[in-house]
Amino acid sequence: MHRWTARHLPDQTGRVAVITGANSGIGFETAVALAGKGARVVLAVRDPDKGARAAAHIRERTSRADIDVLPLDLTSMRSVHSAASELKATYLKIDLLINNAGVMLTPKSVTEDGFELQFGTNHLGHFALTGLLLEQMLPVLDSRVVTVSSLGHRVKSDIDFDDLNSVRSYDPMVAYGRSKLANLLFTYELERRLAACSSASTIAVAAHPGSARTGLFRHSPRWIKFAAQIAEYVVFQPAAMGALPTLRAACDAGVTGGEYFGPRGLGQQRGYPTMVTSSARSHDAALARRLWEVSEKLTGVTFPC
């Protein structure tokens, strides 16, 4: 479909959607669209006050909104386990897990568990959350794990297993590209495992928003912030448009596991969502398996499938 929009979303009544980082930007617009179609939406956010304000704004935009707010700090395995336990106690099933939250070009820092901040937040936090929630999804017809990557997965990106936490050297762009490449390696390896699991009704899909007006550049160096402000007038699209690839990956009936969605125009930076290709490196199955094994060891989380 050439111009797929949120109007093409099927009815989501009875479905439960968990969205990380849903208090602003792409995650917020994804939540608005799903709530407007009747889904029960869980805003899994680091700051519950911001989550409560986002929930109020969503209710203002759609009268049928059914919204919950869940504290989740992806930089803390303790918080990830706590959030997963609360979700499993509250919901008998989860239809959609949208791994949306992320940080970009942060100063050198580590998570509560000692992981480099971008890799720990963007990949390891979502890896652990998915593994802990997957049992709630496996029996659910058309359940999906959607992980949001970025065009940045192509930039200076590789997985340096000898220095995952950037102890020897730290380049914010290298660390960001690594985390976004990891998102895709994780998605494709998860789909391979789900496809081999006879009891699984779940698929794994990836998406990227192109260049969208969000708060993702807030940690960037001053010159990058300045360039981003200029680019907003030329390239960047509204967050609601940036959310469309995620929504299509999550809800379009024609989607199959292992697909990747992004904007169709201008170097995948803007436009309506379509299936796109990711880098050759992201399809390296041996690299994905090694990353999976290392991620299990680092997080202590193993998957049921």
Side-chain angles (χ1 to χ4, degrees), residues 12-13 24 26 32 42 53 56 58 81-82 89 92 128 138 150 178 180 196 223 229 240 275 277 280 282 303:
Q12 299 294 302
T13 301
S24 64
I26 303 300
V32 169
V42 181
R53 289 195 290 272
I58 294 170
H81 278 268
S82 176
L92 295 176
L138 289 176
S150 164
R178 175 185 297 159
K180 294 287 102 179
W223 69 271
Q229 288 173 350
M275 191 166 66
T277 58
S282 71
F303 281 56

Side-chain angles (χ1 to χ4, degrees), residues 14-56:
R15 306 193 86 201
V16 175
V18 178
I19 309 172
T20 68
N23 60 282
S24 64
I26 303 300
F28 175 80
E29 295 297 341
T30 301
V32 169
L34 291 174
K37 288 293 185 176
R40 186 172 188 180
V41 178
V42 181
L43 312 182
V45 298
R46 184 171 183 173
D47 186 331
D49 291 336
K50 290 182 179 178
R53 289 195 290 272

Side-chain angles (χ1 to χ4, degrees), residues 33-278:
L34 291 174
K37 288 293 185 176
R40 186 172 188 180
V41 178
V42 181
L43 312 182
V45 298
R46 184 171 183 173
D47 186 331
D49 291 336
K50 290 182 179 178
R53 289 195 290 272
H57 291 320
I58 294 170
R59 294 186 185 104
E60 290 172 0
R61 288 176 59 171
T62 175
S63 59
R64 66 185 300 191
D66 185 359
I67 307 290
D68 289 335
V69 177
L70 175 75
L72 169 66
D73 182 354
L74 290 164
T75 70
S76 163
M77 286 297 125
R78 176 174 46 83
S79 176
V80 171
H81 278 268
S82 176
S85 294
E86 185 170 341
L87 285 166
K88 289 189 283 189
T90 305
Y91 303 101
L92 295 176
K93 54 112 177 178
I94 295 171
D95 299 85
L96 297 174
L97 172 60
I98 300 178
N99 293 323
N100 163 82
V103 293
M104 179 179 178
L105 305 183
T106 56
K108 186 174 182 180
S109 183
V110 295
T111 69
E112 179 180 288
D113 304 281
F115 308 132
E116 186 278 313
L117 185 62
Q118 296 187 83
F119 185 73
T121 303
N122 299 350
H123 169 60
L124 291 175
H126 283 128
F127 178 93
L129 182 67
T130 304
L132 292 168
L133 294 180
L134 199 56
E135 283 187 335
Q136 305 297 105
M137 304 183 71
L138 289 176
V140 181
L141 187 63
D142 198 29
S143 55
R144 302 183 190 184
V145 177
V146 180
T147 300
V148 180
S149 184
S150 164
L151 288 168
H153 86 274
R154 297 178 180 273
V155 181
K156 299 183 178 181
S157 60
D158 203 352
I159 308 296
D160 182 357
F161 291 101
D162 294 326
D163 194 24
L164 278 178
N165 290 319
S166 302
V167 174
R168 290 200 302 266
S169 65
Y170 180 71
D171 179 321
M173 193 66 232
V174 170
Y176 179 69
R178 175 185 297 159
S179 73
K180 294 287 102 179
L181 174 61
N183 288 155
L184 287 167
L185 290 165
F186 164 62
T187 296
Y188 298 149
E189 179 63 15
L190 176 59
E191 175 56 29
R192 283 188 284 269
R193 291 168 183 253
L194 290 169
C197 181
S198 59
S199 62
S201 297
T202 308
I203 61 172
V205 194
H208 80 83
S211 298
R213 300 185 192 109
T214 70
L216 198 57
F217 286 92
R218 63 189 179 275
H219 298 294
S220 304
R222 189 173 300 173
W223 69 271
I224 292 181
K225 288 181 181 177
F226 179 73
Q229 288 173 350
I230 294 174
E232 281 193 10
Y233 296 99
V234 180
V235 176
F236 284 23
Q237 59 185 355
M241 281 293 293
L244 291 181
T246 298
L247 288 165
R248 188 165 190 179
C251 300
D252 191 332
V255 171
T256 60
E259 292 182 336
Y260 182 40
F261 288 84
R264 70 166 60 248
L266 196 63
Q268 298 182 25
Q269 294 187 78
R270 59 185 295 125
Y272 294 94
T274 190
M275 191 166 66
V276 296
T277 58
S278 60

